[in-house]
Amino acid sequence: MLKQSVKFLTGALASALISVSMPTVSFADAIEGIANDGTYNLTLDDNGYLYGFPAGTTVSDVNSKVKAYKSTNKLTVTRDGKSVSGVSEIGSGDVIKIQTAARKTVGTYTICIKGDVNGDGGINVTDMEEIQKSVLGISELSGAKKQAGLLNEGNTELSVLDMEKIQSYILGIITSLDGSESGGGSSGGGESGGGGESGEIVDSLVVEYEYYDNNYCGVKAASATGNVTIPSTVSYNGQTYTVVMIEDEAFLHCDKLTGITLPNTLQYIGAKSFQNCYSLTSITIPSSVTRIEYWAFYCCSNLTTVRLSSSTSVDELAFDECPNVQFIYQ
């Protein structure tokens, strides 16, 4: 009995020593070095995804927080099994690991940045395209990247509404994708809008213009619903600019755009400029337009009537995946 008691005491002592040298670390303790100054509002969900890093956060940004809290701690970031460091931006799906000087792991977490669907750390049109591929069944999103694209509360599957949310963020209409803010405005552009009852598609247009020499400008990006009109001229910094082009991807994914009137000053319609404008049923291309680029109206599945000049150069893929379209030359 005495021998057994000694063994028991020895085991208890060993356990006590281990608990002193290798304490259990809670989530709050593990990230305190990153979040203790209030820079990031970090949260961990039930799936182990770590939220709260804004788009554009670099590995160096996070490492500086870790070192400031405890200089001997070490941060490693991996993406698809490869190390990411320095000024590289952390992205959805990246794994961060914090270790002590003795290489004991304090915490390992998978990053999820709302809107960063492709995992490059930024939020742009390529993230919208990743969601589109998933919705169309071309490719599949899963894990943190799928979670990054679920931007509408209560949704468990990706949809065009998530693409719209990212578009609104890119245009500055909303300033956050985590639900904390919903207001904003566009830069270098103009707005027009109308009201309506819930569920009704209202006429609304928010445009960002790109300004060039010789007082020309182009529609760089837009968010549009209903029936809208692009003006022939716009004023900016006390000067008047003539609208001569719809730039690449300008109205990409504006799936509630039902009609658009283009100015007679327009000369060029860029690639993918009206791609996935599913609600667009007809359009008149001014005779001033000399060129319509590839996939300009790609997948405008309800487009039935296009009026244009026979002298306008049209890429052979400009109206690809528009099964019901008919051309009326004027």
Side-chain angles (χ1 to χ4, degrees), residues 157 254 270:
E157 296 299 329
C254 289

Side-chain angles (χ1 to χ4, degrees), residues 91-134:
S92 297
D94 290 356
V95 176
I96 67 169
K97 181 165 67 174
I98 304 172
Q99 293 177 306
T100 66
R103 294 296 183 264
K104 172 178 169 52
T105 299
V106 177
T108 302
Y109 307 104
T110 301
I111 301 298
C112 185
I113 298 174
K114 286 294 187 179
D116 174 33
V117 183
N118 65 358
D120 66 357
I123 301 174
N124 50 52
V125 71
T126 59
D127 297 300
M128 297 169 63
E129 292 177 347
E130 288 298 313
I131 296 176
Q132 181 191 22
K133 291 176 184 177
S134 178

